[in-house]
Amino acid sequence: MASKANGGAGTETGEFDLCFWGVRGGIPTTNAETVRFGGNTPCIEVHCGDHLIILEAGTGIRPFGLALDQTFPIKADILFSVSRFDHACGLPFFNAGFNLANEFKVWAGHLDSGGSIEQDLNDLMTSPLFPISLSSIGGLKQWGDFIAGEEFELREGIRVLTAALNNPAGATGYRVEYSGKSLGYISNTGHSPDVPDETVLALIENCDLVIYDSYYYDEEVTDGELRGHSTWQEGLRLCQAAGVKRLAAFQHHPDRLDNELEQVQTILEARLPGSLVASEGKIVRL
């Protein structure tokens, strides 16, 4: 599987596309019944022209790093929605991060003014929990802590809007705008039944594609409210209400098997044409 940055898709000026490298939530899942959609935890490669954005550093970032062309130095941004283990545990296995010629800036907005994503990742990679320290990953050159709700430019022409999501531990949703197109990324958010999340609706309004947390199904919700994860059905309702063109159901439950996800794919395609269930290796152009 080739990285888009290494021949998987074009990166000419003006092109806005992405590739899924990890689509599973909670814990990596590897067996014959999940191989079709993949078992790595979250990582998405996004290209805005020739600029690289990486959404999350779950286990999917390892195969992405192996495919990434490092012939020339890489200058890129890594955006975290949360710093939970499944979203960060691939970072010490990301070989491009150890290349001192590369320059990665790491962003997060789910921590309060007293926290930092550097400290969170450092805590994750501290002995005896892990033998390699964060400081060993020399390509991580800059840290971009912000408060969810702020907006900023990653590079000229690449605008990022953010919002705090419905998660008791804090989570950040992103909207990336480039070349007249927009990508919404909503991960680790909960929802209340029959009450659309106005914050999410505003963030994803008229997006060309929204990647949405689909850890559960509606029928699995028994207590009336989800906190920290959502359903593909809620994602579909929000996308339809917000005028979104396409939905990508993402962050599948570890027990979600290929045959179930294929059924969801059929329903999504019928209800919002062009929508998909995210699978490893899938390239999408906005």
Side-chain angles (χ1 to χ4, degrees):
M1 181 164 52
S3 165
K4 287 169 20 56
N6 191 23
T11 56
E12 291 81 3
T13 300
E15 290 189 348
F16 191 173
D17 45 28
L18 60 93
C19 181
F20 292 99
W21 290 90
V23 300
R24 193 71 54 170
I27 189 171
T29 305
T30 306
N31 59 58
E33 295 175 302
T34 60
V35 69
R36 158 77 173 83
F37 288 89
N40 279 304
T41 60
C43 181
I44 307 170
E45 171 192 11
V46 180
H47 284 274
C48 297
D50 60 2
H51 184 66
L52 170 63
I53 301 169
I54 304 168
L55 297 174
E56 317 287 16
T59 59
I61 202 170
R62 181 183 181 275
F64 166 53
L66 294 175
L68 190 57
D69 184 359
Q70 296 188 65
T71 305
F72 301 98
I74 298 167
K75 191 172 185 178
D77 295 280
I78 304 174
L79 276 57
F80 282 93
S81 64
V82 295
S83 46
R84 286 178 47 180
F85 185 79
D86 55 329
H87 289 246
C89 63
L91 190 61
F93 303 96
F94 179 46
N95 63 358
F98 292 87
N99 186 339
L100 295 178
N102 295 334
E103 183 176 330
F104 296 97
K105 184 170 184 178
V106 182
W107 299 82
H110 63 285
L111 305 164
D112 61 29
S113 58
S116 76
I117 185 61
E118 182 179 12
Q119 185 60 54
D120 269 20
L121 295 175
N122 187 70
D123 291 346
L124 180 68
M125 297 174 58
T126 298
S127 181
L129 298 177
F130 200 80
I132 300 173
S133 67
L134 183 67
S135 61
S136 299
I137 310 179
L140 304 182
K141 300 283 178 56
Q142 299 182 63
W143 304 92
D145 289 293
F146 62 92
I147 302 298
E150 296 178 359
E151 60 180 80
F152 47 87
E153 273 198 337
L154 286 182
R155 299 289 184 273
E156 183 177 356
I158 306 175
R159 181 176 178 232
V160 177
L161 292 81
T162 71
L165 299 179
N166 181 8
N167 187 306
T172 300
Y174 292 93
R175 178 189 180 110
V176 181
E177 297 180 343
Y178 174 71
S179 192
K181 302 284 187 178
S182 52
L183 168 68
Y185 180 65
I186 310 298
S187 177
N188 286 78
T189 191
H191 73 269
S192 299
D194 304 319
V195 183
D197 189 322
E198 296 295 334
T199 299
V200 173
L201 285 174
L203 188 65
I204 68 174
E205 183 177 8
N206 297 323
C207 273
D208 294 275
L209 175 70
V210 168
I211 301 168
Y212 189 83
D213 186 314
S214 304
Y215 195 79
Y216 292 114
Y217 292 174
D218 275 357
E219 51 269 30
E220 295 171 335
V221 182
T222 58
D223 61 2
E225 181 177 2
L226 280 174
R227 304 190 70 193
H229 283 299
S230 191
T231 70
W232 66 266
Q233 293 101 324
E234 182 67 10
L236 180 60
R237 288 188 289 266
L238 290 168
C239 285
Q240 290 175 324
V244 172
K245 293 188 174 108
R246 291 185 288 170
L247 164 67
F250 175 76
Q251 204 164 333
H252 317 309
H253 192 284
D255 296 334
R256 201 73 68 209
L257 304 182
D258 288 341
N259 59 347
E260 298 174 78
L261 293 174
E262 285 165 359
Q263 292 173 18
V264 175
Q265 174 69 65
T266 300
I267 297 169
L268 283 180
E269 177 62 35
R271 296 187 183 176
L272 190 61
S275 296
L276 64 141
V277 173
S279 59
E280 290 181 21
K282 178 68 175 178
I283 294 173
V284 180
R285 177 159 293 165
L286 276 69

